Amino acid sequence: QVQLVESGGGLVQAGGSLRLSCAASGRTFSMYFMGWFRQAPGKEREFVAVSSRSGGITYYADSVKGRFTISRDNAKNTVDLQMNSLKPEDTAVYYCAGGSLGSSRRWRDYDYWGQGTQVTVSS
């Protein structure tokens, strides 16, 4: 079992930056692939980024590539999402998730979810 708690969301102007953090409980954090997803009102949950177990391999959605960076610290049981050059279309609730089926882009492949943190980007 892994419990995930996100933090770091908020309101930012377009072009600004935010850093989201996800803290995990349990001693098995390093066994899980960790992803970030987001969901805007009226839209489906969408993939943002994923990190391999070691953090050495990462994948990003095309819409955030070059602007967002996922990183994890297995010693601290955390996975972060650094978001730069934010755009109004990045506005959504952001969720971190843990899974064991590889670096999947499908939210259904993840077993554990945080409660989400709101990110709002004003134009």
Side-chain angles (χ1 to χ4, degrees), residues 4-90:
L4 304 173
V5 178
E6 302 97 336
S7 61
L11 173 64
V12 64
Q13 288 188 332
S17 298
L18 280 175
R19 187 176 184 90
L20 306 183
S21 186
C22 176
S25 65
R27 294 176 289 179
T28 59
F29 177 75
S30 62
M31 294 175 57
Y32 295 97
F33 295 83
M34 295 301 299
W36 284 93
F37 290 79
R38 66 187 182 186
Q39 188 166 19
K43 295 187 177 181
E44 289 194 358
R45 191 167 298 190
E46 66 172 353
F47 168 77
V48 175
V50 62
S51 169
S52 63
R53 293 186 180 101
S54 69
I57 298 174
T58 57
Y59 297 106
Y60 298 90
D62 288 344
S63 58
V64 307
K65 199 173 296 181
R67 300 188 296 122
F68 291 11
T69 303
I70 186 171
S71 60
R72 67 187 294 167
D73 185 333
N74 286 340
K76 296 181 179 180
N77 282 12
T78 58
V79 57
D80 293 349
L81 185 69
Q82 177 66 42
M83 306 186 295
N84 298 327
S85 302
L86 283 161
K87 304 175 181 180
E89 51 263 44
D90 294 320

